[in-house]
């Protein structure tokens, strides 16, 4: 007897997709719904995936990628077709350059309208191939779980990165018998491959002979959750270490072996560099002179074999997971009785440079002239921030100076512009971090330190933070410009010309007059404060940290001509500092 159709359980493509994502451990989706994914947003919520409606797909993709970095499992960025997906390409590119897992899912025009100039029709799969490790359009509703599992697995294995799934409206709306949907296993966490033991032995022998060793800790080490092994490695061997911007906190910044305050001196004079999950890209000056000694020997540890020897040939390449490989080195016989002497000339040189640079910074810190300079303002901020807070930061001088002035004590507790130098990431990152904290460590605070130009990229995401009652503390370092700016009187004088857009210096491109941040945050029924002096800033930040049911903001007026000191963080220059 034929089975009655009424006894079948029917699922449309959207529900099959949502259930497959949930089965693979996806907990968060960020995006903006519209045709043809309106119902999909609700379906995601129905199966237990948290959906966060953002104001722009760009910020949504940034937020989803931050979840991938913080948790090691991808979140979803959901967009509409055409322009919606194109907006999200920024976050996909940023995730690719930072090596963070991310799943972008976009609706698409119905397959029976392909090539007909359908609503928002665009070659989406082809467009995403440049940005993603894997792109696909499922060929049937039944096979959607197959593609979801492959997408998740691809995003987290090897070098992590973004993936893309294209979902035409006709596929999302087609109903099938649930029993015909492909069964799939749950994608497990990536394996942790060990390095070749011969290479580990070579690396240890090279390190033992070093006269001026240096360990560089990158965000790959943070992503690998290698903090315990790296701390043992550094302390057991007595080595100086330098964290990359998002490698900060893998070992606490206040550790006595941290030499971030002597960054240039350490890089230029090291004879052996151990590179742990950091790439020899622009942030580390490509590993080339004059920022490094011409005969420096590099021991490089990376999960991606293609990254070994990139830009500067390393003496020993250790291909493997950082956590696993550092553990191998900790157990290596060659290092069991080795410790770099604390009384060495190398340590003396580094400590002298640290003390000298600290004295230079102290001059700016102690300068309380009004308007404030960055160092003075950051000095107030760092005294009040909880040691376990997640710091999000972007901007020009704001981010660069913040890297040295705002210490991190825990891994994966700093998010900034990263390898791609992307501006506009701050609010999205902060929203993702605040949601993650709400679900895992509800008493942990998220502090988003923004330049006034940087926050303008995604300023409407303040409304998203307010809507979800996320207690993010936004600190805007406002110098009325990109890098530097002009005060209101000078700005008015410069823009007096009737056509200021074309007159040289009449309206400098680097000098957009900032909006009134206080009115913006107060329009969302959230507290905002103006800080003109260190005392103002201290009082305002204390009030913000007491606000736990909504975002808050401090608009900090910074001297428009205040600049960072030209030394440790001039990454884009070729000068030998």
């Amino acid at each position: 007897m034929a089975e009655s159709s009424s006894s079948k359980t029917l699922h449309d493509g959207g529900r099959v997709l949502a259930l497959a994502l949930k089965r693979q451990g996806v907990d968060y989706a960020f995006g903006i719904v519209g045709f043809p994914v309106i119902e999909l947003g609700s379906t995601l919520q129905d199966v237990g995936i948290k959906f966060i409606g953002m104001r722009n797909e760009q910020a949504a993709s940034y937020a989803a990628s931050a979840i991938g970095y913080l948790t090691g499992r991808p979140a979803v960025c959901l967009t509409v077709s055409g322009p919606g997906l194109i907006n999200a390409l920024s976050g996909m590119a940023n995730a690719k350059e930072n090596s963070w897992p991310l799943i972008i899912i976009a609706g698409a025009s119905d397959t029976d309208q392909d090539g007909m100039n359908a609503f928002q029709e665009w070659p989406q799969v082809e467009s995403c191939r440049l940005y993603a490790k894997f792109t696909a359009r499922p060929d049937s509703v039944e096979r959607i779980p197959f593609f979801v599992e492959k997408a998740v697995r691809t995003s987290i294995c090897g070098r992590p990165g973004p993936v893309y799934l294209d979902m035409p409206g006709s596929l999302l709306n087609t109903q099938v018998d649930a029993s015909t949907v492909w069964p799939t296993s749950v994608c497990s966490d990536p394996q942790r491959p060990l390095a070749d033991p011969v290479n580990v032995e070579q690396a240890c022998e090279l390190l033992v002979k070093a006269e001026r060793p240096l360990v560089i800790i990158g965000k790959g080490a943070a992503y690998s959750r290698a903090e315990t092994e790296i701390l043992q490695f550094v302390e057991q061997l007595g080595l100086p270490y330098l964290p990359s911007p998002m490698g900060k906190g893998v070992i606490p910044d206040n550790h006595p072996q941290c030499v971030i305050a002597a960054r240039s001196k350490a890089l230029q004079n090291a004879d052996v560099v151990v590179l742990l999950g950091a790439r020899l890209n622009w942030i580390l000056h490509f590993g080339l002179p004059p920022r490094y000694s011409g005969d420096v020997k590099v021991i490089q540890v990376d999960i991606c074999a293609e990254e070994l020897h990139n830009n500067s040939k390393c003496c020993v390449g250790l291909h493997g997971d950082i956590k696993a490989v550092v553990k191998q080195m900790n157990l290596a016989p060659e290092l069991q009785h080795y410790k770099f002497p604390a009384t060495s000339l190398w340590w003396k040189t580094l400590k002298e440079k640290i003390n000298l640079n600290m004295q230079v910074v102290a001059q700016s810190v102690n300068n309380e002239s009004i308007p404030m300079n960055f160092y003075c303002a950051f000095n107030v901020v760092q005294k009040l921030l909880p040691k376990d807070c997640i710091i999000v930061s972007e901007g020009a001088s704001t981010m660069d100076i913040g890297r040295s002035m705002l210490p991190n004590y825990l891994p994966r507790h700093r998010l900034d512009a990263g390898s791609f130098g992307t501006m506009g990431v701050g609010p999205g990152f902060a929203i993702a971090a605040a949601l993650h904290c709400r679900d895992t460590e509800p008493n942990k605070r998220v502090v988003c330190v923004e330049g006034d130009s940087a926050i303008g990229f995604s300023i409407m995401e303040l409304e998203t933070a307010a809507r979800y009652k996320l207690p993010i503390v936004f600190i805007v370092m406002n110098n009325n410009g990109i890098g530097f700016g002009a005060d209101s009187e000078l700005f008015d004088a410069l823009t007096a010309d009737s056509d200021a857009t074309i007159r040289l210096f009449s309206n400098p491109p680097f000098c957009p007059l900032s909006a009134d941040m206080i009115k913006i945050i107060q329009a969302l029924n959230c507290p905002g404060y103006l800080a003109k002096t260190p005392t103002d800033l201290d009082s305002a930040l204390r009030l913000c940290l007491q606000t736990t049911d909504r975002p808050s903001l401090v608009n900090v007026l910074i001297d428009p001509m205040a600049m960072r000191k030209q030394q440790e963080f001039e990454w884009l220059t070729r000068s030998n500092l």
Side-chain angles (χ1 to χ4, degrees), residues 354-419:
I354 289 171
N355 291 334
L356 178 62
N357 283 343
M358 296 288 283
Q359 292 173 19
V360 174
V361 170
Q363 295 176 7
S364 296
V365 166
N366 295 327
N367 178 3
E368 295 189 354
S369 59
I370 307 303
M372 290 180 283
N373 67 70
F374 285 98
Y375 292 92
C376 176
F378 274 123
N379 186 51
V380 176
V381 172
Q382 64 91 14
K383 290 179 180 178
L384 295 178
L385 293 190
K387 284 193 171 184
D388 67 342
C389 73
I390 293 179
I391 298 173
V392 180
S393 184
E394 62 172 333
S397 296
T398 296
M399 182 173 62
D400 285 346
I401 298 173
R403 282 167 173 155
S404 62
M405 291 295 296
L406 299 181
N408 290 94
Y409 304 97
L410 295 169
R412 297 169 297 280
H413 278 57
R414 180 181 176 86
L415 298 163
D416 68 17
S419 300

Side-chain angles (χ1 to χ4, degrees), residues 77-348:
C77 172
L78 178 65
T79 82
V80 300
S81 51
L85 171 66
I86 292 169
N87 284 342
L89 292 181
S90 296
M92 195 183 300
N94 190 64
K96 181 179 181 182
E97 291 303 306
N98 281 309
S99 302
W100 292 355
L102 167 67
I103 300 174
I104 302 283
I105 297 176
S109 51
D110 291 354
T111 53
D112 60 357
Q113 296 177 355
D114 281 352
M116 299 175 64
N117 290 328
F119 176 67
Q120 295 185 333
E121 183 179 4
W122 186 256
Q124 297 177 178
V125 175
E126 294 87 343
S127 295
C128 290
R129 285 200 174 109
L130 182 64
Y131 304 87
K133 292 181 67 180
F134 170 69
T135 63
R137 170 184 280 190
D139 56 347
S140 68
V141 172
E142 289 86 352
R143 292 223 310 152
I144 286 174
F146 165 82
F147 288 96
V148 169
E149 188 277 337
K150 186 169 184 177
V152 171
R153 176 163 41 87
T154 304
S155 75
I156 62 176
C157 291
R159 169 179 281 180
V163 297
Y164 173 68
L165 293 178
D166 198 61
M167 303 299 296
S170 51
L171 192 70
L172 291 171
N173 295 321
T174 296
Q175 291 191 331
V176 299
D177 182 351
S179 66
T180 65
V181 174
W182 278 38
T184 56
S185 59
V186 176
C187 175
S188 58
D189 290 337
Q191 295 183 357
R192 295 187 178 273
L194 298 171
D196 186 328
V198 173
N199 292 338
V200 173
E201 182 179 348
Q202 292 172 344
C204 294
E205 291 175 350
L206 182 61
L207 186 57
V208 167
K209 297 176 182 177
E211 296 180 359
R212 299 179 303 279
L214 177 67
V215 177
I216 300 179
I217 303 171
K219 66 176 176 290
Y223 182 84
S224 181
R225 285 162 166 71
E227 51 266 22
T228 300
E229 290 76 13
I230 292 177
L231 179 62
Q232 179 184 344
F233 179 73
V234 166
E235 290 188 336
Q236 179 176 298
L237 303 182
L239 302 174
Y241 76 91
L242 176 70
S244 74
M246 275 190 274
K248 282 162 57 69
V250 170
I251 301 176
D253 284 348
N254 62 350
H255 193 284
Q257 290 167 235
C258 179
V259 295
I260 193 170
R263 184 180 192 274
S264 292
K265 177 68 73 174
L267 293 178
Q268 287 174 336
N269 293 279
D271 64 345
V272 174
V273 169
V274 182
L275 201 63
L276 301 178
R279 288 171 280 176
L280 292 176
N281 56 14
W282 65 276
I283 293 178
L284 290 176
H285 317 292
F286 313 108
L288 300 174
R291 292 294 189 143
Y292 294 79
S293 170
D295 58 358
V296 65
K297 297 176 175 61
V298 177
I299 300 167
Q300 186 174 6
V301 184
D302 204 285
I303 191 67
C304 178
E306 292 83 354
E307 192 60 43
L308 301 176
H309 312 289
N310 194 31
N311 292 327
S312 179
K313 184 174 178 61
C314 54
C315 281
V316 183
L318 300 175
H319 177 217
D321 174 76
I322 296 165
K323 183 181 179 76
V325 173
V326 175
K327 186 174 182 179
Q328 277 183 282
M329 297 180 74
N330 287 339
L331 297 175
E334 296 82 3
L335 298 182
Q336 294 307 301
H337 302 291
Y338 165 77
K339 186 158 189 173
F340 186 72
T343 57
S344 67
L345 178 61
W346 180 228
W347 263 119
K348 180 181 178 182

